[in-house]
Amino acid sequence: MPIADPMPVLTDAELATRLERLTESGVRLLAGSVVDMAGVARAKTVPLRRAGVFHTAGMGASPTWNVFCADNAIAFTDRLGVVGDLRLRADLAAARVIGEGWAWAPAEFFDQYGEPSPNCARGRLRSLQAGAEASGLTVRAGHELEFVLTDGEDPALSDRHWQAYGLGSVLREGGFLVDLSRALEEAGLGVEQLHAEYGTGQFELSLAPRDPLRAADEVVLARLLTGRVARDHGLLASFSPLPFHDGPGNGAHLHLSLERGGRPLLSGGDGPHGLTAEGRAAIAGIVEGLPEVTGVLSGSLLSAGRLAPGRWSGAFACWGLENREAAVRLVAATPGSPHGASVEVKSGDPSANPYLASAVVLGLALDGIARDAVLPPETTVDPADDPAARRLPAGQTEALDALEASATARALLGEDIVAALLAVRRHEAEAYGDLGPAVLAERFRFAWSS
Ligand code: GLU
Ligand code: MG
């Protein structure tokens, strides 16, 4: 499936201005990164004088970059093997200075003739976003990042010293949090809030709503900076869905809001909680499609350990106002919600590729609107107590089988991406499916850390 609206190319004059600014900011090296199907960020780096070439011609990357696995194995497919070459092109319009002589930019996959690769996750999201905009919609995405600070073996603070949402917990890691918020803000990221989460050593940062492409870029950048600041403080940040097998999981919750002609679709309407007809259809599309895209949102071998009832991870395909056990939580437009109404998809975790996670959530919402999908009744109780509530796939195999059978996922992501995702995730099951939970959590604790 072709990628419409490929990455814009800067004019020579724009390029010169960008490079001048980067030089003035003391940048020596530029890292251009893509996120692979296993959710791992991979990069090529060039000295700044080569940044223009990185943007226009690109740097070489084997097609196997699309089937690298979380353990660095390669899940070869019929289409992705040892022969061929791709180009990784840095989107310099989105470049950020990140200090210590470095700049970072998101990159996209192209072939050697400059055609966008059908395997490009960022290209896919760009395309979907452009489609939404062409149909008159404005979309905003806001990401919440959860991570556990650890010395490698154990959470940074012991159970005895950890207070969930505690003032003591944030102050004990106060130096880290101050440096982190400074690094994020200096890189142009909008930090909405930081807090100590429920799990021992677990923190959360929320990023300001942006258009989906920029928001996903900022997730990659925020994770990179979190890892770097943690290392500066002698710690490691785990973005694993389940850093410790007997502890809480890390979620990657995604808030989505939609507007048409400046009017929000999730408030001001005549439906429940002020939903408009299109807002209802958008939520219906997400709720209906979630079981089929769980393999995208939380498809790693560790994901199912997190996506379970009672863990606030959204293990049920249902929606409800402020229902934290529903996969889709509606946040209504109240004076307490300055960004207005949003839907929060809770079931995703940080092992997902953020571009693909955003693409499927946005794509399902758009599909719901296009089909005028019917909103199912609201779940107003803990779905675990509701016999009618539908669980999302409860294991990796179920999630991948549902993805494989999904015509919707293929329509949203294209055959190539679905095939590559399945190959990579099935490798995890084959190679590590027999490991016990503690060994598994330990093996992949830092697989999604940059
Ligand atoms: N840590 C939970 C998860 O795995 C989320 C807790 C919360 O609601 O913030 O998604
Ligand atoms: Mg949280």
Side-chain angles (χ1 to χ4, degrees):
M1 185 195 280
I3 303 261
D5 309 287
M7 187 179 96
V9 184
L10 298 178
T11 62
D12 288 347
E14 287 168 337
L15 197 54
T17 313
R18 296 246 153 210
L19 296 182
E20 207 175 289
R21 283 213 200 107
L22 294 175
T23 309
E24 281 163 9
S25 306
V27 171
R28 311 286 308 187
L29 289 176
L30 168 75
S33 73
V34 288
V35 184
D36 68 15
M37 300 299 155
V40 178
R42 314 221 179 235
K44 284 256 166 148
T45 299
V46 295
L48 194 58
R49 72 182 156 71
R50 295 265 298 154
V53 181
F54 200 172
H55 176 61
T56 50
M59 297 295 136
S62 141
T64 52
W65 274 51
N66 290 300
V67 278
F68 282 157
C69 302
D71 62 352
N72 298 319
I74 300 172
F76 291 107
T77 67
D78 292 348
R79 294 193 214 183
L80 298 166
V82 292
V83 179
D85 201 22
L86 290 171
R87 284 287 172 275
L88 218 60
R89 287 173 48 196
D91 187 350
L92 289 189
R96 308 285 176 97
V97 177
I98 58 170
E100 298 176 22
W102 283 81
W104 167 88
E108 294 188 18
F109 282 113
F110 291 78
D111 69 17
Q112 286 167 307
Y113 299 94
E115 287 300 313
S117 159
N119 279 98
C120 183
R122 188 173 187 264
R124 178 59 51 198
L125 178 59
R126 169 193 293 290
S127 227
L128 276 161
Q129 182 175 315
E133 284 162 3
S135 76
L137 290 170
T138 303
V139 189
R140 288 282 171 271
H143 293 264
E144 296 178 5
L145 283 76
E146 292 182 336
F147 58 93
V148 169
L149 274 189
T150 150
D151 64 6
E153 301 299 321
D154 297 297
L157 293 172
S158 70
D159 282 347
R160 254 185 326 125
H161 292 116
W162 188 254
Q163 298 157 338
Y165 309 104
L167 175 62
S169 306
V170 278
L171 291 180
R172 273 192 206 100
E173 293 299 349
F176 162 76
L177 292 173
V178 167
D179 288 350
L180 176 60
S181 105
R182 185 188 301 121
L184 296 169
E185 300 267 0
E186 281 177 3
L189 302 180
V191 178
E192 297 274 293
Q193 60 161 302
L194 296 156
H195 66 259
E197 252 297 336
Y198 191 76
T200 303
Q202 190 179 38
F203 291 88
E204 173 176 323
L205 70 93
S206 325
L207 295 176
R210 311 278 198 210
D211 71 68
L213 194 65
R214 178 167 171 194
D217 285 344
E218 293 191 346
V219 168
V220 178
L221 183 53
R223 283 203 213 159
L224 174 170
L225 293 171
T226 305
R228 186 203 251 178
V229 176
R231 283 192 293 278
D232 289 346
H233 286 258
L235 294 164
L236 297 168
S238 169
F239 284 95
S240 161
L242 201 60
F244 297 92
H245 75 287
D246 50 358
N250 283 325
H253 303 182
L254 167 58
H255 290 257
L256 201 71
S257 65
L258 300 150
E259 280 181 17
R260 187 183 291 288
R263 303 177 88 92
L265 301 190
L266 301 175
S267 62
D270 58 3
H273 313 298
L275 292 172
T276 65
E278 284 194 310
R280 295 196 289 276
I283 296 179
I286 297 173
V287 171
E288 210 176 298
L290 269 186
E292 295 177 30
V293 299
T294 295
V296 181
L297 288 168
S298 41
S300 77
L301 193 51
L302 282 164
S303 296
R306 162 189 170 264
L307 191 61
R311 301 175 67 93
W312 289 16
S313 55
F316 292 88
C318 60
W319 73 279
L321 180 71
E322 296 295 0
N323 190 332
R324 284 184 164 71
E325 279 287 314
V328 181
R329 166 187 170 220
L330 175 65
V331 180
T334 64
S337 180
H339 289 302
S342 66
V343 278
E344 180 191 30
V345 176
K346 293 180 65 90
S347 56
D349 72 47
S351 67
N353 177 312
Y355 299 102
L356 296 183
S358 308
V360 290
V361 171
L362 172 59
L364 290 177
L366 298 177
D367 180 54
I369 294 174
R371 290 188 291 115
D372 201 9
V374 178
L375 184 65
E378 178 179 2
T379 301
T380 55
V381 295
D382 183 341
D385 298 331
D386 177 0
R390 206 164 43 125
R391 256 306 287 274
L392 288 172
Q396 190 190 33
T397 307
E398 290 91 318
L400 297 183
D401 289 348
L403 177 62
E404 191 159 22
S406 172
T408 308
R410 274 165 218 285
L412 295 179
L413 301 178
E415 291 283 343
D416 298 80
I417 287 180
V418 173
L421 265 171
L422 289 168
V424 162
R425 294 306 192 194
R426 292 220 195 273
H427 160 78
E428 293 172 11
E430 277 157 27
Y432 302 96
D434 292 340
L435 292 188
V439 183
L440 197 59
E442 202 271 332
R443 171 69 182 80
F444 288 100
R445 190 166 294 148
F446 301 107
W448 297 280
S449 301
S450 297

